[in-house]
Amino acid sequence: MPRAFHALPDTQGVPQACAVAELLEVLWRPGHEAAATPVPPSQLRALTVIEQREGINLRDLGEVLGSAAPAVSRLCDRLEAAGLVRRSRATTSRREVELSLSRQGQAVLADARALRSARTAEVLARMSPQDRRALADGLTAFRDAAAGLVGLDAAADAPAGLSDTA
């Protein structure tokens, strides 16, 4: 059942942001499918969160992803079976499991980011320098706000060229 979202008083930019997000999925999909280790978007999201929050437990991962515990457990089973994630006992509680990326998981994320960067660079090359700068400024603000909303570090996974100093 879809979640209900309350309308915000100022929705300026919402349709554009949603349209761009959908377009990015279309733009990036062929690259992900052609990658050395193709990984579905749901698994890439989980790998990104695990990278940023090394040692995260299943409950917290589920909260960040907005998924129920059984679904997160199955997702992590698949990631572990593929050699992308390691599970270990938490140092603070033996009943809790911590997640971390394997070297292969790190490589998959790096590969996905390289493919995304290449496809995005093709689009940016079609824009004027002024439009690219305005986009970079707006995306930096959007990234910071979105990362704060889901409890991640905004600058931790900022690709080269989209950092605050770009």
Side-chain angles (χ1 to χ4, degrees):
M1 184 168 167
R3 293 182 186 164
F5 291 98
H6 299 287
L8 300 175
D10 181 5
T11 58
Q12 180 180 0
V14 170
Q16 295 87 345
C18 291
V20 168
E22 291 170 358
L23 190 54
L24 286 172
E25 289 178 19
V26 172
L27 182 69
W28 291 340
R29 173 62 69 166
H32 290 301
E33 292 171 351
T37 306
V39 176
S42 61
Q43 292 183 9
L44 281 175
R45 284 190 300 273
L47 291 175
T48 299
V49 172
I50 294 167
E51 177 192 49
Q52 289 219 351
R53 294 184 57 186
E54 183 79 19
I56 192 171
N57 62 35
L58 291 172
R59 180 182 46 81
D60 291 343
L61 179 61
E63 285 180 16
V64 172
L65 296 176
S67 298
V72 173
S73 184
R74 286 190 303 273
L75 174 66
C76 289
D77 287 344
R78 288 189 298 274
L79 292 171
E80 186 176 35
L84 304 176
V85 168
R86 290 186 305 266
R87 294 183 195 197
S88 59
R89 293 279 176 220
T91 55
T92 57
S93 168
R94 293 176 15 141
R95 292 176 28 182
E96 199 169 291
V97 173
E98 294 180 336
L99 302 167
S100 60
L101 291 185
S102 66
R103 285 184 188 253
Q104 185 177 353
Q106 293 169 352
V108 164
L109 267 183
D111 187 37
R113 288 178 176 141
L115 290 167
R116 287 176 177 174
S117 292
R119 293 288 288 172
T120 302
E122 292 177 41
V123 174
L124 294 175
R126 302 176 76 153
M127 297 172 62
S128 72
Q130 297 84 2
D131 286 345
R132 284 194 305 269
R133 181 72 239 162
L135 178 65
D137 290 344
L139 288 175
T140 297
F142 186 91
R143 178 200 68 202
D144 293 348
L149 186 65
V150 296
L152 296 177
D153 180 7
D157 69 339
L162 271 186
S163 66
D164 295 334
T165 60

